[in-house]
Amino acid sequence: MFAVIYRWRLHQGKEQQFVSSWHRMTEEIHKRCGSYGSRLHQTDDGTWVAYARWPDAATRERCKGVDPEALSSMREAIAEAFPEIRCQVIDDLLAEPHSAAD
């Protein structure tokens, strides 16, 4: 399995624009490209982090031009983008709760 970690600093006041565009983009990538999805986080230092998982690096590399409008909207909200971190998943102990009450 393959994962990519993304990190950004956003323009103040553009957070909701970014979240909406990221959500739209991530759904399209999942549907069209076969990603395993992604999670978006806001950190204590004000940066934003997303973690995306893929079956392999080649599957991710083939995924291009999915939603240019959403990508443009995301980029407009980004003040600074940090280099992505590409990872091979070695062991995975992340467990999801079975319900919202867990």
Side-chain angles (χ1 to χ4, degrees):
M1 194 172 324
F2 180 72
V4 181
I5 300 169
Y6 305 93
R7 197 165 68 109
W8 310 274
R9 191 170 315 284
L10 304 182
H11 291 292
Q12 191 168 11
K14 297 278 189 173
E15 296 86 359
Q16 189 53 50
Q17 174 181 327
F18 180 84
V19 170
S20 297
S21 300
W22 177 90
H23 187 97
R24 178 175 149 183
M25 176 69 86
T26 300
E27 283 185 330
E28 288 300 309
I29 289 171
H30 179 68
K31 281 193 289 190
R32 295 185 191 186
C33 299
S35 80
Y36 293 150
S38 184
R39 287 190 170 115
L40 180 63
H41 308 267
Q42 185 176 15
T43 68
D44 290 344
D45 71 2
T47 59
W48 293 70
V49 175
Y51 173 83
R53 288 188 10 187
W54 297 84
D56 51 57
T59 301
R60 180 191 180 245
E61 296 307 317
R62 286 190 299 270
C63 186
K64 306 275 189 230
V66 173
D67 189 335
E69 188 177 296
L71 180 58
S72 178
S73 182
M74 282 178 61
R75 285 181 175 159
E76 181 182 296
I78 296 170
E80 181 179 9
F82 300 93
E84 66 183 42
I85 301 169
R86 300 165 57 94
C87 312
Q88 291 297 324
V89 178
I90 305 302
D91 197 4
D92 186 355
L93 297 177
L94 188 62
E96 298 297 329
H98 297 288
S99 70
D102 287 346

